[in-house]
Each structure stands twice: as structure tokens, then as C-alpha cells.
Amino acid sequence: EAPQMGAVSPKQLGGSPVTIMLYVNDVDAYFARATKAGCEAQLPPTDMFWGDRYCKVTDPYGHNWAIATHKEDVGPQEMEKGMKKESGG
């Protein structure tokens, strides 16, 4: 934060509608490092239907982070199947 310059944290504003997406080589290691440094886990590293291993954290200032490692390419039919399964349809 730099309140004197009009820059306040999402916590001061009551939250953030923004998520910063970051691709890394080892999402599990980044998740462990982030939570050890004080980030709050929103979703632990999970294999997702779109081919990424993916997690979400919120840092101590209220910024939302999505962190992923791409594991495999997923074709359109597999993607559609995964979306339907995820949404319960």
C-alpha cells in the first residue's frame, strides 16, 4: 500500500474482483511457499479438467492469485466432457 498516493490494498477496499494468473514449473512448490509466507489457501493444488494442475491463494494484502502448471493438452471433446462433469450436467 501507498495510501499517501491513493494506492490501497484490496483488504482496505473490502476485497478484489481481480485474480492474478501465474504459470510456474512446479505449482505444488509455489503453493507450499506461498502458504508458508502467509497466503491463505483458497484451493489446494488440484488436477483440473482443462489440463492444468491449479491452485488459488489470497496474499496477506488481499490480492487473489491463481497458480498453475500445465500438465497436458486437452482436446475439445474431452474439455466439453470435463466442463459438463464439473458443472454437474
Side-chain angles (χ1 to χ4, degrees):
E1 281 192 318
Q4 68 280 11
M5 298 176 68
V8 296
S9 73
K11 276 196 170 180
Q12 188 168 333
L13 296 172
S16 174
V18 176
T19 298
I20 303 160
M21 181 68 193
L22 181 65
Y23 275 95
V24 298
N25 289 330
D26 184 349
V27 68
D28 293 274
Y30 272 76
F31 179 81
R33 183 176 172 191
T35 53
K36 185 176 181 182
C39 289
E40 182 181 339
Q42 302 300 328
L43 175 72
T46 305
D47 292 331
M48 305 305 278
F49 69 86
W50 59 82
D52 289 351
R53 185 154 176 80
Y54 175 87
C55 72
K56 289 173 35 177
V57 297
T58 301
D59 71 24
Y61 302 101
H63 298 282
N64 301 311
W65 295 81
I67 309 168
T69 299
H70 186 67
K71 294 295 194 176
E72 64 178 328
D73 293 330
V74 178
Q77 290 176 335
E78 290 176 78
M79 182 79 71
E80 188 173 334
K81 210 166 136 180
M83 286 189 315
K84 284 181 182 176
K85 183 178 179 185
E86 185 76 17
S87 66

